[in-house]
Amino acid sequence: MTGPDRPATGLDVGDVVTVEVGPVAHGGHCVARHGDHGQVLFVRHALPGEQVRALVTELGPGGRFVRADAVEVLEASPDRVTPPCPYAGPGRCGGCDWQHATPAAQRDLKAAVVTEQLVRLGGLTPAQVEALRVRCEPVPGDTEGLGWRTRVEVAVERRGDGSTVTGLRRHRSHEVVPVDRCLIAHASVDATGVLGGPPPPAPVVALDVVAPSVGEPVVVPLVAPRRIRGAARRGARHTPVPSGPVPEVTERVGEHRFTLSARGFWQVHPGAAATFTAQVMAWLDPQAGERALDLYAGVGLFAVPLAEAVGSTGSVLAVEADREAAEAAARHLAERPWAQAVAEPTERALDRLVAQGERADVVVLDPPRSGAGPAVVAAVAALRPRAVVYVACDPAALARDLRAAREHGLELVGLRVLDAFPMTHHVECLALLRPHA
């Protein structure tokens, strides 16, 4: 390859180089350097301290870095194990990042990533992070990191030779790897027979498989949006949509039941919702008569126990931009008239509350992977809460928002890092913020 993306060291896609593997980085890979210029490689399927032969798979913009796979391990880490799944490894299924490490080592890697993000993006000092005692904890409901994923999208690829392949996608690719069993999938997902069974008829391009905590699993066929089906056949990227009505599923957390669309958002690890709720309630410790705000509320996972805690002399406002989820939250709160759910973008709802001079005693922030953003953080601080719990599925977004929170008088005083996505690089963080003393 020639041009602006070719690295100055001359590395190109397909090259194989020997490198010493450095620290873990956010995204399921480790950092290595090659050549006199110290060309950065982000190497998957490696572990810190190893020496590997790395196959270059992709060039980063401007040649600033390259992506690579460790295709041969010359000196192995003591934390390395044989991946339990035969589909895990270079060039295979992209669903898992760390199957080649022990579960304990995986959690150590995730804790290291969170620590690095808090320092580099969050502006905390190493001493401040050390005081938080960052460690990644397992979540009840899996078996050594396997059998936990209750929601799986199975891909369907119709190939030029007329064959149809059902399975999971390669890393950073739309190519489908035939898979007859996914080891991180919940047993109920595998029991549907979608993986390894006969492929669905056209025009189905994917299958959403959902194993709720109440009732039987459901399978939702997905098709390309009608307006781009022709383009999809030519290989264009698209977001599949349901081929018909989507059934509802029921999830149970303690004594509470939540009914939602099978395609609606819910935590995929069977122990996550209960674990997160218990920590949110313990940290906020909502009292009778207090005003609670649940932002990015989904179907009301946190709003319902908050409403019970503050009682009829208090109030709860659940804000959720997705109308279907907000309507579900309203149904779940219906027996508690002092709590309400609104279908509105979070930033707009906060602007209104701040303009009206409102206050909130406790706040839950559970934003999407991109984070809440500085405007939302500033507005939350303007409501002068005594405590905020931020539920984050991306440590980089969390770190950026924590920096903004500190600028507006909210200090990080507690942190839990939870391994709600074993075998993958994803991790969930719960952060407790309080006003500066």
Side-chain angles (χ1 to χ4, degrees), residues 3-9 11 39-40 59-66:
D5 285 344
R6 185 180 179 89
T9 53
L11 289 180
Q39 172 66 57
V40 174
L59 305 183
R64 292 190 300 274
F65 63 88
V66 301

Side-chain angles (χ1 to χ4, degrees), residues 67-93:
R67 300 183 189 276
D69 284 345
V71 292
E72 182 182 357
V73 180
L74 304 177
E75 294 181 14
S77 163
D79 294 322
R80 177 172 284 275
V81 296
T82 299
C85 176
Y87 303 109
R92 301 172 191 162
C93 174

Side-chain angles (χ1 to χ4, degrees), residues 137-342:
E137 310 168 48
V139 175
D142 64 60
T143 303
E144 287 295 292
L146 302 176
W148 56 270
R149 193 173 185 92
T150 60
R151 282 154 170 79
V152 177
E153 183 177 301
V154 177
V156 179
E157 182 181 5
R158 305 186 191 282
R159 296 181 171 173
D161 61 3
S163 63
T164 300
V165 176
T166 301
L168 302 172
R169 300 193 187 278
R170 297 187 193 277
H171 180 62
R172 296 176 63 82
S173 169
H174 286 273
E175 184 180 352
V176 175
V177 178
V179 171
D180 58 12
R181 185 186 177 200
C182 174
L183 291 188
I184 66 170
H186 193 275
S188 296
V189 170
D190 272 330
T192 63
V194 168
L195 287 171
V204 174
V205 297
L207 298 163
D208 256 359
V209 189
V210 180
S213 56
V214 178
E216 296 300 313
V218 300
V219 178
V220 181
L222 306 177
V223 298
R226 185 178 300 276
R227 67 182 181 277
I228 64 168
R229 283 186 190 171
R233 285 195 295 270
R234 295 190 296 272
R237 298 181 65 178
H238 60 275
T239 300
V241 298
S243 61
V246 178
E248 290 187 329
V249 295
T250 299
E251 300 285 359
R252 180 173 54 228
V253 181
E255 61 185 23
H256 301 126
R257 291 193 175 210
F258 301 87
T259 301
L260 64 151
S261 165
R263 299 204 77 214
F265 174 77
W266 190 260
Q267 293 291 339
V268 296
H269 192 293
T275 301
F276 298 173
T277 300
Q279 187 61 72
V280 166
M281 296 301 290
W283 269 345
L284 292 181
D285 190 22
Q287 302 296 304
E290 287 195 314
R291 291 159 292 187
L293 186 59
D294 184 7
L295 302 175
Y296 311 95
V299 299
L301 172 64
F302 302 124
V304 169
L306 283 171
E308 292 185 343
V310 302
S312 59
T313 59
S315 67
V316 175
L317 177 62
V319 180
E320 170 55 51
D322 180 83
R323 183 166 296 279
E324 188 174 17
E327 290 172 352
R331 293 196 303 271
H332 300 142
L333 293 168
E335 296 180 359
R336 306 161 185 89
W338 57 92
Q340 68 173 127
V342 296

Side-chain angles (χ1 to χ4, degrees), residues 13-178:
V13 172
D15 288 347
V16 177
V17 294
T18 299
V19 293
E20 304 289 337
V21 181
V24 64
H26 183 29
H29 43 247
C30 296
V31 179
R33 293 184 180 275
H34 173 72
D36 295 338
H37 299 284
Q39 172 66 57
V40 174
L41 289 82
F42 290 127
V43 186
R44 296 187 82 239
H45 310 292
L47 293 174
E50 293 187 328
Q51 184 184 72
V52 303
R53 284 171 57 78
L55 169 68
V56 176
T57 58
E58 186 180 339
L59 305 183
R64 292 190 300 274
F65 63 88
V66 301
R67 300 183 189 276
D69 284 345
V71 292
E72 182 182 357
V73 180
L74 304 177
E75 294 181 14
S77 163
D79 294 322
R80 177 172 284 275
V81 296
T82 299
C85 176
Y87 303 109
R92 301 172 191 162
C93 174
C96 292
D97 305 290
W98 296 120
Q99 284 210 18
H100 56 287
T102 67
Q106 293 179 37
R107 293 193 289 271
D108 288 344
L109 292 170
K110 294 181 183 188
V113 168
V114 172
T115 296
E116 189 270 342
Q117 298 290 295
L118 291 176
V119 172
R120 185 170 62 85
L121 299 179
L124 297 178
T125 66
Q128 287 173 319
V129 176
E130 185 177 352
L132 293 168
R133 299 182 183 275
V134 178
R135 68 184 185 90
C136 184
E137 310 168 48
V139 175
D142 64 60
T143 303
E144 287 295 292
L146 302 176
W148 56 270
R149 193 173 185 92
T150 60
R151 282 154 170 79
V152 177
E153 183 177 301
V154 177
V156 179
E157 182 181 5
R158 305 186 191 282
R159 296 181 171 173
D161 61 3
S163 63
T164 300
V165 176
T166 301
L168 302 172
R169 300 193 187 278
R170 297 187 193 277
H171 180 62
R172 296 176 63 82
S173 169
H174 286 273
E175 184 180 352
V176 175
V177 178

